Amino acid sequence: MPHHYQANRSSGFTLVEILIALVILSVGLLGLAGLQTSSLRAGNDAYLRTQANMLAYSIIDRMRSNMLAVTSGDYNMSTVSATGNNCPASTNFNNAQELAAVDQQQWLCALAEKLPGASASIATGASGDRTQISITISWFEQRVKQGEKGADTTLTLMTLL
């Protein structure tokens, strides 16, 4: 009996399988790229929050070392946009009030350097025999969600000296 060779009807099927696998792999890699982008944005936002927190504690430490100016209200400051202008290089001062002014200018320069679109305010007030300090720092922060615009983020820190 002669044996006739029949062509395999499914010979092109493996090529279709490979193409489908490549499409699925491509979609998965695009998803991973989006996840990486979101992770980088969230990491940057966390970094900015950490910087704001450290800068708030920085001015509190400066105030702690100049309690005379704190109790007389020399550190009080309404909301001011932080700029890199008027950054005093020297720390020459003659009294507690001048030291407070230098501290504020150096602090505002540090805010402008570390936080995009930063602004800040400081309020002090008596709380019994101690002084209550409220520091508010705002800055521009990117949003993690795709397509969502950035917004101002605010950190408010209150403490007693």
Side-chain angles (χ1 to χ4, degrees):
M1 197 182 260
H3 188 271
H4 294 285
Y5 179 73
Q6 269 187 331
N8 190 359
R9 292 183 165 202
S10 64
S11 62
F13 188 68
T14 56
L15 183 60
V16 172
E17 284 178 334
I18 290 172
L19 289 174
I20 290 173
L22 282 174
V23 168
I24 292 171
L25 181 66
S26 299
V27 169
L29 290 175
L30 285 173
L32 283 174
L35 185 63
Q36 180 69 19
T37 303
S38 295
S39 174
L40 286 172
R41 276 196 206 123
N44 187 51
D45 292 347
Y47 171 76
L48 292 177
R49 288 174 190 264
T50 301
Q51 291 299 316
N53 207 3
M54 287 178 20
L55 288 164
Y57 280 106
S58 168
I59 194 67
I60 288 173
D61 287 340
R62 290 173 184 237
M63 294 170 79
R64 232 180 234 124
S65 68
N66 191 5
M67 284 303 293
L68 184 62
V70 171
T71 55
S72 64
D74 292 331
Y75 279 96
N76 287 343
M77 177 175 65
S78 60
T79 303
V80 175
S81 293
T83 63
N85 302 334
N86 292 333
C87 297
S90 73
T91 54
N92 295 333
F93 52 88
N94 295 320
N95 55 40
Q97 185 179 20
E98 287 179 12
L99 175 59
V102 168
D103 284 347
Q104 286 177 331
Q105 285 300 317
Q106 288 178 342
W107 184 63
L108 288 172
C109 288
L111 283 174
E113 180 183 323
K114 304 281 186 184
L115 299 171
S119 61
S121 66
I122 300 173
T124 60
S127 177
D129 61 341
R130 300 179 77 185
T131 302
Q132 181 177 358
I133 299 171
S134 175
I135 297 171
T136 303
I137 302 173
S138 297
W139 69 95
F140 185 79
E141 188 173 87
Q142 297 292 328
R143 294 287 131 192
V144 174
K145 292 182 181 175
Q146 184 75 15
E148 191 176 320
K149 291 184 178 180
D152 284 337
T153 302
T154 302
L155 168 77
T156 301
L157 183 68
M158 297 180 82
T159 189
L160 292 173
L161 291 182

